[in-house]
Amino acid sequence: METRWLVAILTCALLGAVALWSFPLSGRVGAGDVQTTVNFLAGSGGDAAILGTTGKIFSGRAVRTFPASSLRFQETVAPSAVVGEHEHDAFKGSEPKAKCSKWAVVTTIFPPSSAIELITKYPDFCVVIVADKKTPNPYALAGDNVVVLNVREQEAMTDEFTTAIPWNHFGRKNIGFMYAIAHGATHVFDFDDDNEPVPRGPENAPTYEFQIPKTVTMFKPAAPTDGEAAPSIKIAAHSANTSTSKGNGECTSINLYPAMSLTPTVAWPRGFPLTQIRNPACTPTAEGVAKMPVVDSAVVAVFQSLANHDPDVDALFRLTQPLPIMFKPDCPTIALPPNLFLSYNAQASLHTHAALWGLYLPITVHGRVSDIWRAYITQRLLWDLGLTVSLTPPQVVQIRNPHNYLADFAAEQDLYSKTEQLLLFLRSWRAPPAASLPARIELLWAALYERTYVNIGDVLNVQRWVQRLVDVGYEFPTPVADAPNPPA
């Protein structure tokens, strides 16, 4: 009897904790959030309902509503009436001595790393370091092209966009992104403090730069030769019935790691759908890539670099497979056409002017999820601009900061359980044909909130992000009517 009572008490405590956890991490709790929790606890249609023999997959259905009356950019986007409220001195202050059109942005809690010091050597780049509560102060790095936004300066930023970003979160980078754009950035290199740039030139006088290729290989099934049938890559249709662990020939994302690796590997990038790992149709070979067409790199808005040694793989891989992994220095840069996603990250990615709006990192999900969600959301909207993303040969070496792999595994749960449905939803999502890019950004983030990929705090802060971009003079690209596939 006592044992049964103890089990009952512990079960109630666990369910209570889950109920609290399931509420939004930021913003007000709405009726939809309460109903979602009730469904979960009752097992009546909630995605995580407990079953006797197996679990229940995440459905990705809309379970709450973002009020249409709260949409702000469906007509026009104008500068704020009170501009001063959106241009705090902290953004226009801390001016770098150098004037740069290219910026690198990082947040860190450690003293200056060799990665950050070497990035300051990128020609024509300024670097902004966004401090957090644990960052050493003063931060021992200076230079004409270096800006350190310390805690005091950030606390002086009283606008709603900045104050909504939590401390001790990956999303502090958003402040650095906005700072760079406000100071005229045409390119932003988003990097981590443990990703060291690859040296170029002679060993006794190395140079450092992020290289943008003039041409890229556009992913496409190879043409048949000598009567041989071309490899078939099926594009997944939007359906709640996802593929099995062995795959069924349908791909929403492409894993380029094995094709670009120096040695045989089964590696996959963090955020790659688990059900597609063992699907050969979603993992091209180097031989197949060599037959694909070469196009002008002007179709690419985001260049993600591979990372040598300890690349961006998920905790499942790190817990079960060997490292390090090295990639071919001379492999081609590979871009993906619309309807296929690339899992790119915030560790070494260069965003061109046409994609600066897509830098925003979600703040209501864990940092291990945030940059992957950003990547997929940004790609979907880039398709409407006739643009895409790409993966370059390794331009950095990751000497990874200490991590607990089990803690990483816990933090990545949304990637394991929700990515499949997220990609299917993004592929099926359509904006009104006449909608501007700000309107599409707002509509898509609202739809993602309704399906519990993010919480209300992100929708509200994306609205503030868009407004601030307008206020600092950023010009949004114009969507292309019936945007065609990138040229092949």
Side-chain angles (χ1 to χ4, degrees), residues 26-306:
S26 177
R28 294 186 294 273
V29 177
D33 303 306
V34 175
Q35 187 59 53
T36 299
T37 303
V38 169
N39 288 345
F40 178 92
L41 297 179
S44 58
D47 291 321
I50 299 173
L51 302 178
T53 57
T54 186
K56 187 174 182 180
I57 65 170
F58 175 76
S59 72
R61 294 188 298 268
V63 297
R64 53 194 181 188
T65 302
F66 185 80
S69 59
S70 296
L71 296 172
R72 296 173 51 185
F73 306 126
Q74 298 310 296
E75 299 297 332
T76 59
V77 184
S80 301
V82 184
V83 176
E85 178 185 347
H86 296 271
E87 291 187 350
H88 191 276
D89 289 344
F91 268 96
K92 292 300 181 182
S94 300
E95 293 281 350
K97 294 179 181 178
K99 298 297 181 183
C100 302
S101 61
K102 299 176 181 177
W103 283 77
V105 178
V106 66
T107 186
T108 182
I109 60 173
F110 299 110
S113 65
S114 59
I116 296 178
E117 292 175 351
L118 291 173
I119 294 295
T120 65
K121 300 181 183 295
Y122 273 10
D124 305 320
F125 267 81
C126 285
V127 179
V128 57
I129 297 116
V130 185
D132 213 323
K133 292 286 189 177
K134 298 177 183 178
T135 307
N137 187 28
Y139 193 76
L141 185 66
D144 290 350
N145 65 333
V146 175
V147 173
V148 179
L149 294 178
N150 60 37
V151 171
R152 178 184 55 81
E153 289 178 301
Q154 293 177 59
E155 288 178 336
M157 302 178 187
T158 57
D159 62 284
E160 290 183 342
F161 167 72
T162 304
T163 57
I165 300 172
W167 290 101
N168 301 316
H169 191 281
F170 196 52
R172 300 305 294 181
K173 274 188 173 184
N174 290 328
I175 299 171
F177 299 148
M178 187 61 69
Y179 181 93
I181 296 168
H183 284 81
T186 61
H187 295 73
V188 170
F189 180 55
D190 183 9
F191 75 104
D192 273 0
D193 61 358
D194 55 2
N195 278 246
E196 300 180 5
V198 173
R200 306 181 189 279
E203 290 186 11
N204 60 347
T207 60
Y208 300 90
E209 65 174 319
F210 192 100
Q211 294 184 342
I212 298 178
K214 293 182 179 180
T215 60
V216 297
T217 294
M218 182 59 67
F219 183 85
K220 185 179 181 180
T225 58
D226 299 328
E228 179 186 6
S232 174
I233 295 183
K234 299 179 182 178
I235 308 302
H238 181 57
S239 169
N241 183 19
T242 58
S243 58
T244 67
S245 61
K246 292 185 178 180
N248 62 0
E250 296 182 342
C251 301
T252 52
S253 185
I254 296 298
N255 175 16
L256 297 171
Y257 277 16
M260 302 174 82
S261 175
L262 272 172
T263 54
T265 179
V266 296
W268 60 89
R270 175 169 55 96
F272 188 74
L274 296 185
T275 58
Q276 296 178 20
I277 290 172
R278 297 174 61 191
N279 186 344
C282 307
T283 304
T285 64
E287 293 75 17
V289 168
K291 300 176 183 178
M292 296 176 186
V294 175
V295 302
D296 193 291
S297 66
V299 300
V300 177
V302 179
F303 295 87
Q304 168 71 54
S305 171
L306 285 165

Side-chain angles (χ1 to χ4, degrees), residues 406-422:
L406 284 178
D408 283 352
F409 175 79
E412 293 170 0
Q413 287 306 300
D414 277 4
L415 298 181
Y416 304 138
S417 64
K418 294 184 176 182
T419 296
E420 192 93 34
Q421 290 302 323
L422 172 63

Side-chain angles (χ1 to χ4, degrees), residues 169-170 270-271 344 361-362 364-377 408-416 418-419 422 453-454:
H169 191 281
F170 196 52
R270 175 169 55 96
Y344 70 84
L361 288 163
T364 65
V365 295
H366 195 282
R368 300 287 302 164
V369 176
S370 180
D371 57 337
I372 303 302
W373 268 198
R374 176 187 72 175
Y376 289 144
I377 296 165
D408 283 352
F409 175 79
E412 293 170 0
Q413 287 306 300
D414 277 4
L415 298 181
Y416 304 138
K418 294 184 176 182
T419 296
L422 172 63
Y453 295 105
V454 297

